Amino acid sequence: MVKSHDVKLDTEYAEWIAEVKHRYRSAQVKATVKVNGEKLLFNWQMGRDLVQKKAEERWGAGVVEQVSLDLKREFPNEDGFSTSNLWYMKKWYLFYTNHASSEKLQRLIGELQSSINQERLKLQRPVGELMKQPVSENWNDTNNDFPIPFALVPWGQHIEIITRSESLEEALFYMQHVIEKGLSRTALVNCYKAHLFDHQGKIVNNFSTYLPKPQSHLVQEVLKENYDFGFATIDHEPFEERELEDALTSDVTNLLLEMGTGFAFMGRQREIIVGGRSRKIDLLFYHVRLRCYIACEIKVKPFEPEFTGKLNYYVSAVDELVKAPDDNPTIGLLICSDMDKTDVQWSFRGITTPMGVATYNNIRIKDVLPTQEQLKERMELLQKELRATKRLMKKATE
């Protein structure tokens, strides 16, 4: 705190000035959200006008370029009036109005609005307040069909969502992620590349039984149903678990990229001592957002019920020996080559630790010399091709 002359500073002053600073920060956020919301409302209405007025049919194929020129001439210092941006406005409006009936769109928007976790937005409370009231006085007009949650997403992220999403459900899923997590445009693109929507909530697990609802929901978003280990290369097939671990941990950067955002690698074959005996966990991670350890076991064969018993033991050991008091409960993750979901679900009975079971694919095998049988087949095929070529040449000379 900067102190000027002739001022007596006490606790009451410090509390008051802290409150003033907080109010101003809130005003800044609210103003930013309001401006963003107003601009998005304009973009939505612009796209709607181009569609409903059938602008190209009425005024010709170059009408969008003409609108761009007119707006740039009138507002030379404003961005966002390029021809491509105007086309995006039309595409934005069409994406949501063409993908579903108005009743379905309203229902899904309502679900999105009610599911946004206000706890994650409490540091930006004006954003949460926006969910309860219109940004603009004009939003109450009967002619306005702009969904309020859309105002919480920057325009660049809206463009990525409508360009990359194949369904309304997928678009609203990523929109919710942007709202709740404050994803940048680059971070959003990375979520699409990781196929987050395809994998979300599909891992076989018991999280809803042994984790509180907010944590359970978040864990299911973080963990995948299947992991693409295409970055790992092994010399031969079949291979052992230790060889797969070697291949995965030799490229920790790609391993963490495949695991997902927030994973920190804590070690391979992490040793724990229980009753004087050494036990080793295949892979141990810590997840920053979940604020918990994740004990991961890798199996190079299909799921067997006894796998969950061993993983349960490791999760309990990490909770007792590694977890800090302010960490959340440790989670178990089993990744195997294949599984039967019913088999996995039955194996969870009687187990009280949170765990999930996933699969992996795309392990690369290095090129090796062909076997004797393969060489023989290739020689026979080559001989057939030579005989056929000779016959063709003979016919050509006759």
Side-chain angles (χ1 to χ4, degrees):
M1 184 180 295
V2 179
K3 184 176 181 180
S4 64
H5 297 292
D6 302 323
V7 173
K8 181 182 178 181
L9 304 183
D10 55 15
T11 303
E12 184 178 356
Y13 176 84
E15 292 176 351
W16 172 63
I17 200 66
E19 180 187 351
V20 170
K21 292 176 181 177
H22 174 73
R23 287 205 307 264
Y24 186 73
R25 290 192 185 97
S26 296
Q28 285 180 311
V29 174
K30 194 169 185 176
T32 300
V33 171
K34 184 177 179 66
V35 170
N36 182 63
E38 293 290 353
K39 287 185 176 180
L40 288 170
L41 175 59
F42 172 85
N43 291 356
W44 180 266
Q45 293 173 337
M46 185 76 246
R48 184 183 63 193
D49 286 350
L50 291 172
V51 173
Q52 293 183 352
K53 292 181 181 297
K54 299 181 179 179
E56 293 163 86
E57 294 180 22
R58 181 178 298 184
W59 295 298
V63 66
V64 174
E65 288 79 2
Q66 183 61 46
V67 172
S68 174
L69 290 172
D70 289 338
L71 292 176
K72 285 179 180 179
R73 187 180 301 113
E74 184 68 21
F75 308 104
N77 297 323
E78 293 292 329
D79 295 326
F81 294 138
S82 67
T83 302
S84 61
N85 216 35
L86 292 174
W87 282 118
Y88 275 126
M89 294 174 196
K90 179 180 179 180
K91 183 178 180 180
W92 187 35
Y93 180 81
L94 283 173
F95 179 89
Y96 291 102
T97 56
N98 282 357
H99 271 70
S101 64
S102 59
E103 293 79 9
K104 181 181 178 181
L105 179 60
Q106 290 175 6
R107 176 177 59 81
L108 291 174
I109 293 296
E111 292 175 0
L112 169 65
Q113 187 162 341
S114 63
S115 66
I116 293 174
N117 189 338
Q118 296 298 331
E119 287 299 315
R120 296 181 192 170
L121 296 175
K122 62 184 178 182
L123 295 179
Q124 298 184 17
R125 191 160 296 170
V127 178
E129 292 173 359
L130 177 60
M131 299 297 293
K132 303 175 185 177
Q133 59 186 3
V135 171
S136 169
E137 295 177 358
N138 297 326
W139 287 25
N140 290 320
D141 294 346
T142 56
N143 191 39
N144 176 46
D145 54 358
F146 182 62
I148 291 178
F150 284 21
L152 303 179
V153 178
W155 178 235
Q157 281 84 321
H158 274 299
I159 291 175
E160 296 296 340
I161 288 171
I162 62 172
T163 302
R164 297 173 181 272
S165 297
E166 296 183 0
S167 67
L168 185 62
E169 289 79 5
E170 182 179 8
L172 296 182
F173 169 83
Y174 285 109
M175 191 180 299
Q176 181 173 343
H177 266 61
V178 171
I179 294 170
E180 292 185 355
K181 300 177 178 63
L183 296 180
S184 66
R185 191 168 182 174
T186 300
L188 174 62
V189 171
N190 288 336
C191 287
Y192 274 99
K193 289 180 178 178
H195 303 288
L196 192 60
F197 175 74
D198 296 329
H199 295 303
Q200 54 94 23
K202 296 181 180 180
I203 183 173
V204 185
N205 66 85
N206 62 359
F207 300 140
S208 59
T209 305
Y210 298 109
L211 291 175
K213 191 172 182 180
Q215 183 82 349
S216 170
H217 178 72
L218 186 56
V219 173
Q220 291 186 68
E221 288 182 4
V222 167
L223 299 184
K224 300 179 182 180
E225 170 189 36
N226 180 269
Y227 290 88
D228 185 346
F229 288 160
F231 62 89
T233 302
I234 297 180
D235 291 334
H236 57 84
E237 197 173 35
F239 47 84
E240 302 293 329
E241 289 172 14
R242 183 62 62 89
E243 293 172 304
L244 178 55
E245 288 177 35
D246 286 339
L248 294 176
T249 55
S250 65
D251 190 351
V252 173
T253 299
N254 274 317
L255 173 61
L256 291 176
L257 286 173
E258 177 57 23
M259 296 305 294
T261 304
F263 276 84
F265 183 58
M266 306 304 293
R268 172 198 172 194
Q269 291 295 306
R270 178 65 179 264
E271 185 179 40
I272 51 175
I273 307 293
V274 181
R277 294 188 60 185
S278 173
R279 313 276 186 178
K280 293 183 178 180
I281 304 171
D282 289 348
L283 303 173
L284 185 64
F285 299 95
Y286 188 87
H287 198 276
V288 177
R289 285 179 56 221
L290 296 175
R291 291 181 55 245
C292 72
Y293 285 96
I294 298 178
C296 180
E297 282 289 289
I298 305 289
K299 300 296 180 184
V300 297
K301 57 183 180 179
F303 174 83
E304 293 290 346
E306 57 265 27
F307 294 165
T308 52
K310 185 178 182 181
L311 183 58
N312 176 58
Y313 178 86
Y314 286 147
V315 171
S316 300
V318 173
D319 273 338
E320 292 293 329
L321 303 174
V322 183
K323 183 176 83 71
D326 56 345
D327 287 331
N328 287 320
T330 303
I331 294 167
L333 173 62
L334 175 67
I335 304 178
C336 47
S337 64
D338 198 5
M339 66 171 168
D340 178 85
K341 292 186 177 181
T342 302
D343 215 16
V344 175
Q345 290 165 345
W346 285 11
S347 74
F348 285 154
R349 295 179 183 178
I351 290 179
T352 58
T353 55
M355 63 175 63
V357 179
T359 55
Y360 69 83
N361 61 3
N362 287 345
I363 298 295
R364 292 183 296 175
I365 307 299
K366 285 185 179 179
D367 292 334
V368 296
L369 293 174
T371 63
Q372 187 174 355
E373 290 75 14
Q374 290 172 330
L375 285 172
K376 183 178 179 181
E377 290 177 1
R378 292 182 187 179
M379 288 298 297
E380 291 176 351
L381 180 61
L382 182 59
Q383 289 172 353
K384 289 180 180 179
E385 292 176 350
L386 287 173
R387 287 196 292 269
T389 302
K390 287 180 180 179
R391 286 196 296 270
L392 290 173
M393 292 178 65
K394 185 178 179 180
K395 287 182 179 180
T397 57
E398 289 177 353

